[in-house]
């Protein structure tokens, strides 16, 4: 029996996770779902959006399914903290970023498929999957403002390009480091190729910018070329991030597996999600070597919270990804066929699809096909 950490979070996270459960129950997955607290309420009442007891649940689970949470900027977060906790040094940090780092969930997986009959499809023949590096790159968290004198000194010593900023005061300059490691590049590219091989995909496209970001994108590109040689049956394409934005709008049907670093991946995956229906359809997996967290990519959409109105398919598709990762490929395929059938029939549609059906009706329609 699987142990699955169950983290609805807050806002519509609760609605969509309820829907996911209806579907998983219909699939009769042999699993125990263990509720774990996460999100805004726990920041406000305890000063920690990801309480220690939740980490304990995660550590003793096979994987986790996560709904959505509310996040707010630092200053606002400080103001909403319970009065008895204020001024004690609590600093809000994103529990999602924390989870990715803590469990080294280095692959962010985002499939984007145009299901037949979805009125929101940009085109009907899109079937892409994005592999985004999830732990380093420009989001590694190495950031400075004001720029410390020792950091500045070291940069000036090692890089002539720093000369352009010679006269800028420390307080008027901010720096975010883009760190790419050989190990980080290697493992994300390898996961992309392994996926392509296992799923008979024709090509893997590396999306970087090595002509300008010579060192970071350069390393990523060299490593990718090396890995590509081990998979001679799969075509390896390279594209610059800017040009790729045009090609993905012009000819999205030509691409299959996309792989890229953290920031570029964030951008590419949102573009690809919108090609196949947007937030109501965008599921993702945060995957490491031993643990994984699956989630819809949307947030807590507070204005729809508790209204039983939003589209649960992103979360149900996240559950499908989870089943695949668990090795329950048959159940995953069954679930995907059920989702595809409901979309193709077009009888049940939530508001984002132009319909009036509820979150629960959509879940029940999918469950009905199982
Ligand atoms: P959001 O994704 O929560 O909602 C934006 C809009 O997208 C909604 O108002 C709604 O019109 C639409 N939408 C979202 N999910 C939908 C669904 N399942 N079906 C149909 N329509 C849907 O983004 P927003 O409003 O920027 O952020 C709200 C809160 O969520 C913030 O506190 C933000 O920090 C947080 N957030 C959390 C994320 C997470 O938990 N992974 C990710 C993104 C934002
Ligand atoms: Mg994003």
């Amino acid at each position: 029996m699987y142990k699955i950490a169950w983290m609805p979070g807050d806002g519509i996270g609760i609605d969509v996770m309820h829907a996911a459960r209806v579907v998983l129950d219909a699939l009769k997955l042999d699993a125990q779902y263990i509720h774990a607290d996460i999100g805004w309420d726990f920041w406000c009442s305890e000063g920690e959006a990801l309480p220690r007891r939740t980490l304990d649940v995660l550590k003793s689970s096979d994987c986790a399914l996560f709904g959505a949470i509310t996040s707010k900027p630092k200053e606002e977060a400080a103001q909403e903290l319970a009065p008895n906790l204020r001024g004690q040094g609590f600093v809000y940090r994103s529990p999602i970023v924390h989870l990715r780092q803590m469990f080294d969930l280095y692959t962010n997986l985002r499939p984007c498929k145009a299901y037949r009959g979805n009125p929101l499809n940009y085109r009907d023949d899109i079937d892409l999957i994005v592999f985004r590096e999830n732990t380093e790159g420009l989001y590694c968290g190495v950031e400075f403002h004001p720029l410390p004198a020792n950091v500045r000194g070291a940069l000036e010593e090692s890089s002539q390009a720093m000369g352009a900023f010679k006269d800028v005061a420390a307080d008027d300059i901010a720096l975010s480091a883009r760190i790419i490691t050989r190990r980080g590049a290697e493992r994300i590219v390898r996961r992309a190729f392994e996926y392509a091989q296992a799923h008979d995909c024709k090509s893997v496209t590396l999306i970087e910018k090595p002509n300008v970001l010579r060192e970071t994108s350069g390393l990523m590109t060299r490593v990718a070329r090396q890995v590509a040689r081990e998979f001679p049956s799969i075509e390896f394409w390279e594209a610059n991030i800017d040009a790729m934005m045009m090609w993905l709008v012009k000819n999205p049907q030509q691409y299959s597996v996309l792989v890229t670093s953290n920031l570029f991946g964030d951008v590419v995956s949102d573009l690809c999600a919108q090609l196949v229906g947007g937030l109501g359809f965008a599921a993702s997996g945060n995957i490491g070597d031993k643990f994984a967290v699956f989630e819809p990519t949307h947030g807590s959409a507070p204005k729809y919270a508790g209204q039983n109105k939003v589209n649960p398919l992103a979360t149900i598709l996240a559950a499908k990804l989870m089943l695949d990762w668990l090795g329950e490929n048959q159940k995953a395929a069954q679930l995907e066929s059920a989702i595809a059938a409901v979309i193709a029939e077009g009888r049940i549609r939530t508001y984002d699809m132009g319909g009036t059906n509820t979150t629960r009706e959509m879940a029940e329609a999918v469950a009905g096909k199982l």
Side-chain angles (χ1 to χ4, degrees):
M1 192 199 287
Y2 299 113
K3 275 180 134 179
I4 297 172
W6 194 259
M7 301 191 290
D10 55 60
I12 60 166
I14 294 167
D15 305 46
V16 293
M17 285 289 276
H18 195 272
R21 187 61 164 273
V22 167
V23 170
L24 285 168
D25 286 348
L27 266 175
K28 299 195 169 58
L29 182 69
D30 187 18
Q32 185 190 358
Y33 302 98
I34 306 154
H35 178 92
D37 293 334
I38 187 170
W40 195 246
D41 295 344
F42 305 98
W43 159 254
C44 296
S45 60
E46 303 174 22
E48 179 53 72
L50 186 65
R52 181 172 290 274
R53 59 183 177 280
T54 294
L55 296 178
D56 292 339
V57 171
L58 292 170
K59 283 178 191 155
S60 64
S61 303
D62 294 299
C63 62
L65 194 65
F66 164 57
I69 53 164
T70 302
S71 271
K72 296 186 189 177
K74 256 190 206 158
E75 296 73 26
E76 260 175 84
Q79 281 165 15
E80 291 191 33
L81 197 56
N84 61 320
L85 296 177
R86 284 181 208 161
Q88 290 181 40
F90 289 106
V91 179
Y92 184 77
R93 53 182 175 173
S94 157
I96 306 164
V97 174
H98 189 179
L99 274 180
R100 286 176 184 164
Q101 287 164 351
M102 171 148 201
F103 291 94
D104 197 20
L105 306 177
Y106 61 87
T107 301
N108 189 278
L109 189 69
R110 195 84 92 82
C112 298
K113 197 188 273 194
Y115 289 101
R116 197 166 54 82
N118 181 357
L120 301 173
N121 286 342
Y122 177 70
R123 292 176 55 126
D124 286 333
D125 48 3
I126 300 170
D127 188 0
L128 293 164
I129 185 160
V130 182
F131 283 74
R132 161 187 167 194
E133 205 293 323
N134 219 10
T135 53
E136 49 183 48
L138 200 50
Y139 293 178
C140 66
V142 181
E143 300 199 289
F144 306 96
H145 181 248
L147 189 57
N150 58 339
V151 175
R152 183 173 202 154
L155 289 171
E156 279 170 354
E157 218 168 278
S158 319
S159 170
Q160 285 198 343
M162 279 300 288
F165 310 105
K166 216 168 63 206
D167 301 325
V168 183
D171 194 41
D172 294 335
I173 186 166
L175 174 76
S176 301
R178 184 180 199 243
I179 296 181
I180 303 278
T181 65
R182 193 180 295 280
R183 169 173 175 263
E186 224 256 1
R187 61 186 184 175
I188 191 69
V189 173
R190 192 170 290 285
R191 293 296 92 79
F193 272 97
E194 286 168 354
Y195 179 93
Q197 191 163 56
H199 295 83
D200 286 323
C201 302
K202 179 176 160 231
S203 66
V204 170
T205 305
L206 175 74
I207 307 172
E208 281 298 323
K209 184 86 182 177
N211 54 332
V212 178
L213 298 171
R214 290 175 182 279
E215 304 310 335
T216 47
S217 285
L219 179 62
M220 187 90 171
T221 302
R222 287 195 300 279
V223 168
R225 286 177 186 167
Q226 228 164 26
V227 174
R229 270 188 236 121
E230 297 172 36
F231 297 86
S233 62
I234 299 161
E235 288 182 36
F236 176 55
W237 301 341
E238 297 174 24
N240 282 338
I241 177 71
D242 46 347
M244 192 66 185
M245 294 290 100
M246 291 198 285
W247 291 333
L248 276 173
V249 172
K250 192 170 177 214
N251 295 318
Q253 77 286 359
Q254 288 184 355
Y255 296 94
S256 171
V257 178
L258 311 179
V259 60
T260 183
S261 49
N262 211 335
L263 164 70
F264 292 165
D266 200 6
V267 176
V268 168
S269 27
D270 272 18
L271 177 87
C272 291
Q274 193 56 47
L275 295 175
V276 298
L279 288 174
F281 294 85
S284 78
N286 300 281
I287 302 173
D289 287 332
K290 299 201 187 85
F291 193 70
V293 179
F294 299 89
E295 55 167 331
T297 62
H298 60 71
S300 61
K303 70 178 171 190
Y304 295 123
Q307 290 185 27
N308 189 29
K309 175 166 178 166
V310 296
N311 191 344
L313 287 178
T315 312
I316 294 172
L317 285 163
K320 184 256 172 200
L321 285 179
M322 178 180 83
L323 292 169
D324 270 325
W325 185 81
L326 286 169
E328 292 287 339
N329 305 88
Q330 203 186 335
K331 283 196 163 41
Q334 253 180 298
L335 177 53
E336 187 174 30
S337 307
I339 295 167
V342 170
I343 296 173
E345 279 176 13
R347 260 188 337 105
I348 303 291
R349 285 179 172 173
T350 44
Y351 84 94
D352 55 317
M353 301 169 79
T356 55
N357 292 105
T358 63
T359 308
R360 190 162 318 163
E361 283 166 346
M362 179 60 93
E364 278 162 4
V366 174
K369 297 284 177 199
L370 295 164

